[in-house]
Amino acid sequence: MQAFKYHSVVKENGTIEIPKLPLKKGQKIEVIIFPEDEAAIELMEAAESSLKFWDNPIDDEVWNNV
């Protein structure tokens, strides 16, 4: 499944704008809206900033042999 992610701001009349999509005319799509929550964004950024902890070749070798 191919996915596209765009950020937009809701206008006064409740509409949003997204860039031109690289899809064929008439292709059916599904749109899911996730309102951004500043606290959630900060938590996600904090979680993503520490992913290097899991990139450990020694740990990988030990766990692969368990």
Side-chain angles (χ1 to χ4, degrees), residues 11-56:
K11 296 184 176 187
E12 280 187 38
N13 60 1
T15 62
I16 61 169
E17 292 181 8
I18 57 173
K20 182 179 178 181
L21 298 171
L23 302 171
K24 296 177 184 177
K25 180 181 177 180
Q27 185 172 352
K28 292 184 178 187
I29 63 168
E30 178 178 5
V31 178
I32 301 171
I33 306 294
F34 293 105
E36 288 188 353
D37 177 3
E38 290 300 320
I41 292 170
E42 290 174 7
L43 286 172
M44 185 171 57
E45 288 173 349
E48 290 174 348
S49 70
S50 62
L51 290 177
K52 289 184 179 181
F53 170 82
W54 298 107
D55 187 18
N56 181 335

